[in-house]
Amino acid sequence: MRVAVSVVNALTPGESRGRPWPAPRDLAATATEVLRAMYPTHPEVTEAEAGEYAEIAARLRAVFQAVADDDIDTAATQINSLLDESRARPMLQRHDGEPWHLHFHGTGGTLAGDWAASCATGLAIVLGGEFSDRLGVCTAPHCDRVYVDVSRNGTRRFCSTACQNRVKTAAFRARGKVT
Ligand SMILES: [Zn+2]
């Protein structure tokens, strides 16, 4: 899920922490960078693959947005389409000296396709469980980055402490004006 959030936030345009967040100028380089931050041995993403990643990221963002809008029906429908199209298929694998662990692969044989299958499955597990409302979009002004709330009480509202602090400071200033 952490990977899904990072890739969605890096590749989908909008606003981030009070500033405009344009679509990456070099999509392939940005995709490679964000994936390598989590998987250091990730191969360089080609331009064609980067386009695929960006398209999937946009569709994943829509799921976060639907949940933030309390529209779980739409989120579930969108996830089902992604599961269907990516033909997500669970399989135990063992590689690079790691113990057996669960992978979700698509049948397309592309990295982005496998990624879509694995993100769609991860989101499906969240949406189908008791933590379905834990997907969110930052509620700070001029920010629309997404997050997964893993806090114990599930009260997260911001993408980052940067946004949380921005809102706190603004509220403090507003109070100062009133008194
Ligand atoms: Zn934010």
Side-chain angles (χ1 to χ4, degrees), residues 17-50:
R17 303 179 188 188
R19 295 204 179 87
W21 185 268
R25 216 168 295 162
D26 188 341
L27 198 55
T30 306
T32 304
E33 191 187 330
V34 66
L35 287 161
R36 279 193 183 155
M38 275 150 303
Y39 309 115
T41 58
H42 197 285
E44 183 139 354
V45 178
T46 66
E47 218 155 296
E49 279 169 348

Side-chain angles (χ1 to χ4, degrees), residues 16-18 138-140 142-145 158-160 163-164 166:
S16 174
R17 303 179 188 188
C138 187
T139 58
H142 300 293
C143 186
D144 60 8
R145 301 298 93 186
F158 306 109
C159 69
S160 58
C163 275
Q164 186 176 19
R166 279 199 303 128

